[in-house]
């Protein structure tokens, strides 16, 4: 008799999508995500001009980050907020930036993967965008108050 996990995998394979399973899946997702993000006229300048990311260096770091969040890997040890504060100081992020980022994240995930880990990734992405947006807005308000 097939387990419920086997049944879920069979159903997902019929639908053409499966869940995120490992680092290779994260890399596939991150590459597709940045392919979409870096052609957006509002977001691309933030990443390419303001943050001046080098994708060859950036993608492995982002994969480490998501591997930590999704699978508990401990190789990512950076402070994400500090990096974004430095970018925000050069060119302030807006709520629209975070809305676009989450739109591309969810659309890319939904286009490639389906399952509990993919759903977890989307929930985490929404929480990250919300928290970062709120923290940066608080920082902006504090700067104007002084």
């Amino acid at each position: 008799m097939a387990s419920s996990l086997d049944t879920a995998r069979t159903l997902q394979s019929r639908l053409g999508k499966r869940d995120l399973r490992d680092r290779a899946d994260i890399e596939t997702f991150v590459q597709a995500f940045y392919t979409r993000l870096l052609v957006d006229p509002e977001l691309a300048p933030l990443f390419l001009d303001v943050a001046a990311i080098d994708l060859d260096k950036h993608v492995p770091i982002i994969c480490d980050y998501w591997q930590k969040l999704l699978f508990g890997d401990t190789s990512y040890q950076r402070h994400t907020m500090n990096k974004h504060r430095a970018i925000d100081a050069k060119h302030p992020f807006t709520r629209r930036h975070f809305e676009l980022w989450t739109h591309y994240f969810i659309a890319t995930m939904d286009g490639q993967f389906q399952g509990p880990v993919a759903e977890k990734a989307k929930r985490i992405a929404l929480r990250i965008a919300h928290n970062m947006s709120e923290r940066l807005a608080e920082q902006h308000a504090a700067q104007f108050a002084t």
Side-chain angles (χ1 to χ4, degrees), residues 6 46 52 54 64 66-67 81 89 96 104 113 124 139:
D6 291 335
L46 282 174
D54 174 344
D64 287 346
W66 282 101
Q67 193 162 332
M81 198 63 208
R96 173 79 177 148
Y104 287 117
F113 296 97
I124 291 170
Q139 184 176 316

Side-chain angles (χ1 to χ4, degrees), residues 53-74:
I53 64 167
D54 174 344
L55 278 180
D56 291 335
K57 293 178 182 174
H58 187 68
V59 167
I61 292 168
I62 296 303
C63 290
D64 287 346
Y65 179 68
W66 282 101
Q67 193 162 332
K68 175 183 179 179
L69 295 175
L70 297 174
F71 301 120
D73 186 282
T74 59

Side-chain angles (χ1 to χ4, degrees), residues 19-76:
D19 206 359
L20 292 159
R21 296 183 301 206
D22 53 26
R23 172 122 184 157
D25 289 341
I26 292 172
E27 289 172 1
T28 297
F29 168 77
V30 169
Q31 290 286 353
F33 173 64
Y34 277 96
T35 296
R36 287 179 155 191
L37 200 83
L38 296 180
V39 296
D40 181 274
E42 292 181 63
L43 292 180
L46 282 174
F47 284 86
L48 299 173
D49 301 331
V50 179
I53 64 167
D54 174 344
L55 278 180
D56 291 335
K57 293 178 182 174
H58 187 68
V59 167
I61 292 168
I62 296 303
C63 290
D64 287 346
Y65 179 68
W66 282 101
Q67 193 162 332
K68 175 183 179 179
L69 295 175
L70 297 174
F71 301 120
D73 186 282
T74 59
S75 59
Y76 184 89

